[in-house]
Amino acid sequence: MTVLQSLPVALGQLPEVTRKLAEGADALDRSGEFPHANLALLQQHGLLGLALPPALGGPGASLGELRQAVGAVARGEPSTALVLCMQYLHLRRLADNPAWPEALKQRVAHEALEQGALINSLRVEPELGSPARGGLPQTVARRVGDGWRLSGHKLYTTGIPGLTWLAVWARSDEPTPRVGSWLVRRDSPGIRIVESWDHLGMRATGSHEVIFEDVPVPLQHAVGLYPHDQPPAPDEAVARDFAQASAALLGALYDGVAHAARDWLVQWLRERVPASLGSPLASLPRVQEAVGGIDQLLLQNRLLLDAACRDWLSASESGLIKVSVTDNAIAVVEKALELTGNHGLSRHNPLQRHYRDVLCGRVHTPQKDSVWIAAGRAALSA
């Protein structure tokens, strides 16, 4: 079903979306089930195709508007927000990507708008780890007749229970292997999911293992291929834009978790009246000071994310923003736990869930060591 709404209408529904998602967040955390119903809700409100540009029939939301949507979804249920974040990062680049055949772009865009079809990259492998740190993929595509046959093993495939399109990072079996992405439909024969995702946080992302066993892929679905020993000169504008969008959207996700923790904390402090005190904890100056420190961190995040959505930033600067926002978000939830003690760690309250979720921000590329090395190298070579 087509869900086309104006941007003001779609964004105006975000508070209600946050509320509905929050109602089921604890159950998803306990079960680890994939949030199919949440994603259907986002499609109902016209949010899954928000990043598609007008050239592909979409509303063409700005990075700031996409950040607003991801942050609101994360306040309600962050695993859903991570799937949405990956969707936006792929769709906003689609129209301007010269590596994709036009018919393929149109098909992916049409299915995203009409059906809420989801897309994500599959890159991490057991032997290689994250490709962001270099190396040749072990997933191999063989030329067979007028197409390809893909075989390999991928880890941490966020959203796989709900994805329609898989952008699989692989290499060809040619004498000089070419590296790139093979765009595979999830319903292709030969795809097997190993349900191994059982993490402490972001439990409902469905980031399971995927095994490809001689999966057929159309010839034109191999995009952006290049000889592994002759990589193309990096497109600095594209790299900078992707880094900035990643910082803004991933930052918005974990900032959203921190805001949810802060909001719960404030309400709890207003309601908690120890017998020895005879008044709410919120009346204590030391508690007020601590909450003020939390709001300072959240203000810093807002200003950093504003800059990520507005200013021209280098890839290195975007990485620094991602790390700073993530660190601040973690610090917010840690401060909330210090104030609440056993109450915050109880499974009956959401604060412990927010803490487990927000810690996952450290895992996403770019990670802190890589960001600091890149920034230091840029400074020292200037």
Side-chain angles (χ1 to χ4, degrees), residues 123-138 154 169:
R123 296 176 64 82
V124 183
E125 297 181 343
E127 296 84 6
L128 181 66
S130 172
R133 296 180 182 269
L136 194 65
Q138 297 303 300
K154 296 294 185 181
W169 191 62

Side-chain angles (χ1 to χ4, degrees), residues 9 26 77 111 122 141 224 242 260 272 298 328 333 336 375:
V9 170
D26 180 66
E77 204 292 296
E111 292 183 1
L122 278 64
F242 182 79
R272 177 69 177 165
L298 292 174
N328 284 349
V333 189

Side-chain angles (χ1 to χ4, degrees), residues 99-104 107 141-150 165 168 172-174 178-185 188 215-226:
W100 284 53
E102 188 61 32
L104 195 54
R107 183 180 178 185
R142 298 180 296 109
R143 276 297 303 272
V144 177
D146 58 354
W148 302 91
R149 292 280 175 164
L150 189 72
W165 293 100
V168 183
S172 69
D173 68 339
E174 297 159 319
R178 289 183 293 164
V179 176
S181 293
W182 275 257
L183 195 68
V184 183
R185 281 192 64 91
S188 301
V215 176
V217 184
L219 186 65
Q220 68 273 21
H221 283 210
V223 296
L225 304 190
Y226 61 86

Side-chain angles (χ1 to χ4, degrees), residues 38-61:
N38 286 356
L39 292 159
L41 178 69
L42 299 189
Q43 172 66 359
Q44 176 186 335
H45 287 279
L47 296 172
L48 291 184
L50 211 59
L52 277 169
L56 290 174

Side-chain angles (χ1 to χ4, degrees), residues 141-297:
R142 298 180 296 109
R143 276 297 303 272
V144 177
D146 58 354
W148 302 91
R149 292 280 175 164
L150 189 72
S151 297
H153 187 180
K154 296 294 185 181
L155 303 178
Y156 307 134
T157 61
T158 294
I160 189 62
L163 298 181
T164 297
W165 293 100
L166 320 178
V168 183
W169 191 62
R171 61 181 171 91
S172 69
D173 68 339
E174 297 159 319
T176 300
R178 289 183 293 164
V179 176
S181 293
W182 275 257
L183 195 68
V184 183
R185 281 192 64 91
R186 167 66 184 86
D187 56 6
S188 301
I191 297 176
R192 180 160 56 93
I193 297 176
V194 180
E195 295 189 354
S196 56
W197 181 254
D198 188 18
H199 273 43
L200 195 66
M202 303 294 283
R203 289 178 42 75
T205 59
S207 301
H208 302 301
E209 298 175 54
V210 177
I211 296 175
F212 298 89
E213 298 171 320
D214 214 29
V215 176
V217 184
L219 186 65
Q220 68 273 21
H221 283 210
V223 296
L225 304 190
Y226 61 86
H228 83 96
D229 57 351
Q230 299 177 37
D235 187 323
E236 297 297 338
V238 170
R240 181 189 63 79
D241 179 74
F242 182 79
Q244 196 159 340
S246 296
L249 299 184
L250 283 171
L253 193 166
Y254 291 103
D255 181 65
V257 176
H259 271 281
R262 183 264 186 200
D263 291 346
W264 180 85
L265 171 69
V266 167
Q267 186 63 30
W268 184 83
L269 292 171
R270 289 170 175 165
E271 296 174 354
R272 177 69 177 165
V273 182
S276 60
L277 182 62
S279 59
L281 288 174
S283 65
L284 294 175
R286 70 173 185 85
V287 169
Q288 296 164 0
E289 178 184 8
V291 173
I294 285 173
D295 281 358
Q296 177 181 331
L297 291 169

